[in-house]
Amino acid sequence: MGRTLNRTAAFTALGRALTAGARGGPSLGARLAALPRMMWATFTGRYDGGMRLAMMAAATAYVASPIDLVPEAFLLVVGLIDDAVVIAWLAGAILAETERFIEWDARQRSVIPGHVV
């Protein structure tokens, strides 16, 4: 049911958020505040972000882990570039997914259970 978040969409969201600034979209504070709510809604099955959250968790673990596919100790610049690419994707994915969640959350708040509008 949910659509997958691909690399292009993540980088597009990152670019849009960085260039938009205060002109549109949720603020950085609103996005950070939405993260715990998004995770809880996903874990309770109300929000369909499970695969996207899993991908973001894997990217975070990859960057934080001392074991890399391309180790920095042997290939200095290349080892740092792979981490930079993962961090850039992660930033874009978080921006895109928090924006999607905030829009979903606003729609959920506008629905009154048991009433037809």
Side-chain angles (χ1 to χ4, degrees):
M1 180 172 164
R3 56 181 189 208
T4 61
L5 183 64
N6 61 28
R7 185 180 315 141
T8 304
F11 283 123
T12 302
L14 175 61
R16 196 173 43 222
L18 291 175
T19 58
R23 292 181 288 169
S27 68
L28 183 59
R31 291 173 191 270
L32 291 175
L35 277 173
R37 293 192 332 262
M38 178 177 67
M39 290 171 33
W40 182 251
T42 300
F43 293 142
T44 58
R46 295 182 298 124
Y47 182 64
D48 68 344
M51 182 56 74
R52 290 179 293 278
L53 280 179
M55 290 172 52
M56 288 186 264
T60 302
Y62 176 79
V63 172
S65 170
I67 300 170
D68 277 350
L69 291 177
V70 182
E72 286 84 4
F74 300 113
L75 303 168
L76 296 174
V77 176
V78 177
L80 294 175
I81 290 174
D82 78 317
D83 287 344
V85 168
V86 172
I87 290 169
W89 176 85
L90 182 60
I94 290 172
L95 290 174
E97 193 59 28
T98 53
E99 184 169 351
R100 182 175 175 261
F101 174 77
I102 290 170
E103 291 170 359
W104 174 85
D105 194 36
R107 285 192 308 270
Q108 297 303 309
R109 292 176 192 267
S110 67
V111 173
I112 301 171
H115 290 81
V116 177
V117 179

